[in-house]
Amino acid sequence: MRSPPIPEMATQEVQLNETLAHLKTESDNLKSKLEEERAKLHDVELHQVAEKVEGLGQFVMKTRRTLKGHGNKVLCMDWCKDKRRIVSSSQDGKVIVWDAFTTNKEHAVTMPCTWVMACAYAPSGCAVACGGLDNKCSVYPLSLDKNENLAAKKKSVAMHTNYLSACSFTNSDMQILTSSGDGTCALWDVESGQLLQSFHGHAADVLCLDLAPSETGNTFVSGGCDKKANVWDMRSGQCIQSFETHESDINSVRYYPSGDAFASGSDDATCRLYDLRADREVAIYSKESIIFGVSSVDFSLSGRLLFGGYNDYTINVWDVLKGTRVSILFGHENRVSTLRVSPDGTAFCTGSWDHTLRIWA
Amino acid sequence: MSGSSNLVAMKKVVQQLRLEASINRVKVSQAAADLQQFCIQNALQDPLLTGVSSSTNPFRPQKAFILMLQGKVDLNTAPHAKPLYCHGISLSVEHHIVRKITIYFQPQ
């Protein structure tokens, strides 16, 4: 039973409640103002602007290589800048480096945890980063000596309080950006393991991130279980723009090659395009027949094509400008969990719960 | 007191919204035109879009080239193998594509 409040405390509480109510009103007003401002500039749809653009012909894309060797679901993959090597990670704790031209395995590491949900290749091609249920991101330098035990040289860089969902090196091998089930993203110095900046703002697990193309400056975008996609300033830690139009978890985000927009893929079975300068969603890529979630998205080099890997085992290829689907690709025997276009745009790679990776061209 | 931490959280939300409301925006027509322009300008350099032929896309040809080793050499064995001397490399080229590379070794 609470004792009756002392008069001074009562007045303090009243003042607190008044200020809170005042702030709530201001917050609601700002939210409607934001919607109003965004709506004012919504003078046309992207596909209307693109009406005069020539339509795309038939696409013939097939599986050109199948990479077999993982013992369980493939969860993530990344290309090396040399356009031929690939690193992939799996539920069974294995991280494998492949030569995609020959399909040979060049390195293999066994992580101390299962569900390695994130992996990334260093820009130099000399190291890979990975992590998952261990809540960490570790960097493994790749040795030319096949006999050397890679696990011995492992360096623990990031520490989160929940699973690691994604990681990416920045412009150099020296810094890594991570996202986590603990709701935050963080920037780390690889050499010292020091936390350089943390990014708070998501209200639930952060599932994905992508760095802006280097010409456009120090920002990155993240997507989470709170259905929001946030754009962050890497130096200040500030969230500069936020988009909330998806109806479910955002599993993947990827910048448009010019850096002025980004695409997202969600459990709501749609992919969406958000333009950063118009500060709003400008296209939705969906069909009534597509009811399974999108796990991963990536653009072709010119940004005209958007590839989406889906939980119904297929890959849908979208015309970004016209909003229509140009192709549907079959081949995997289970969910497509990860998809990346190669650095020179000649092919894209998908990883699946069917234990394999496929290269398409 | 939970009241004051609610206040702090609320102040942050309002601050963030003020920041987001204040940014400069362009019309969708302008933004869309720029996106389209970028696509068109880069269309020819997009191999997946233009569908590059087998001779230029490294993934399209199905055959990998074969490396031929002359003589009784197994380069995969052991750390104590004798040092080898490479005394020649030959490339066999057909229609501008390298079909075979032969590297000649002899013990030093």
Side-chain angles (χ1 to χ4, degrees), chain B residues 62-97:
Chain B
Q62 297 284 15
K63 304 173 208 154
F65 62 76
I66 302 159
L67 190 67
M68 301 272 288
L69 297 172
Q70 303 256 335
K72 295 174 195 167
V73 171
D74 182 351
L75 290 176
N76 287 324
T77 45
H80 305 294
K82 292 203 170 86
L84 295 168
Y85 171 72
C86 168
H87 63 94
I89 297 181
S90 114
L91 301 175
S92 102
V93 180
E94 201 180 272
H95 302 306
H96 307 286
I97 298 172

Side-chain angles (χ1 to χ4, degrees), chain A residues 66-236:
Chain A
T66 305
L67 306 180
K68 294 188 187 171
H70 276 295
N72 212 320
K73 307 177 175 66
V74 176
L75 302 174
C76 187
M77 58 83 35
D78 191 20
W79 287 89
C80 177
K81 285 215 159 83
D82 72 0
K83 312 155 212 168
R84 67 183 284 170
R85 282 176 181 79
I86 283 177
V87 62
S88 61
S89 64
S90 160
Q91 183 195 338
D92 66 357
K94 289 259 188 351
V95 174
I96 300 179
V97 176
W98 315 75
D99 177 334
F101 285 3
T102 62
T103 75
N104 287 341
K105 297 182 209 30
E106 295 200 338
H107 303 272
V109 177
T110 305
M111 292 278 285
C113 66
T114 56
W115 288 90
V116 187
M117 293 173 245
C119 63
Y121 229 115
S124 67
C126 297
V128 292
C130 50
L133 282 188
D134 57 352
N135 300 359
K136 294 193 235 171
C137 184
S138 308
V139 175
Y140 292 85
L142 295 174
S143 165
L144 287 171
D145 179 355
K146 301 278 160 79
N147 291 326
E148 191 168 354
N149 181 9
L150 287 184
K153 291 237 168 113
K154 160 178 159 176
K155 186 181 277 191
S156 269
V157 175
M159 283 285 296
H160 278 280
T161 54
N162 209 323
Y163 64 90
L164 188 83
S165 53
C167 63
S168 173
F169 283 86
T170 59
N171 293 329
S172 74
D173 285 20
M174 299 287 88
Q175 293 182 351
I176 283 191
L177 193 58
T178 57
S179 64
S180 167
D182 66 14
T184 70
C185 298
L187 181 66
W188 310 82
D189 176 87
V190 173
E191 195 54 50
S192 62
Q194 197 190 2
L195 173 68
L196 298 172
Q197 185 62 263
S198 68
F199 306 88
H200 298 260
H202 278 287
D205 305 23
V206 187
L207 299 179
C208 51
L209 59 83
D210 191 35
L211 275 137
S214 37
E215 311 81 55
T216 39
N218 289 321
T219 60
F220 74 94
V221 60
S222 65
C225 290
D226 57 358
K227 313 173 202 168
K228 282 203 197 153
N230 291 339
V231 181
W232 308 86
D233 178 319
M234 271 168 63
R235 274 176 288 215
S236 65

Side-chain angles (χ1 to χ4, degrees), chain B residues 5-83:
Chain B
S5 66
N6 274 346
L7 196 65
V8 169
M10 208 53 204
K11 277 190 179 159
K12 276 200 181 143
V13 169
V14 170
Q15 214 169 20
Q16 179 64 31
L17 284 169
R18 276 194 199 137
L19 185 77
E20 288 177 29
S22 67
I23 68 166
N24 287 325
R25 294 176 189 81
V26 310
K27 284 195 179 155
V28 175
S29 49
Q30 178 62 56
D34 290 346
L35 289 177
Q36 184 175 301
Q37 180 70 359
F38 186 89
C39 276
I40 294 171
Q41 275 175 345
N42 292 285
L44 290 177
Q45 279 83 50
D46 186 343
L48 285 169
L49 187 66
T50 57
V52 215
S53 67
S54 306
S55 55
T56 28
N57 187 324
F59 287 106
R60 283 202 169 182
Q62 297 284 15
K63 304 173 208 154
F65 62 76
I66 302 159
L67 190 67
M68 301 272 288
L69 297 172
Q70 303 256 335
K72 295 174 195 167
V73 171
D74 182 351
L75 290 176
N76 287 324
T77 45
H80 305 294
K82 292 203 170 86

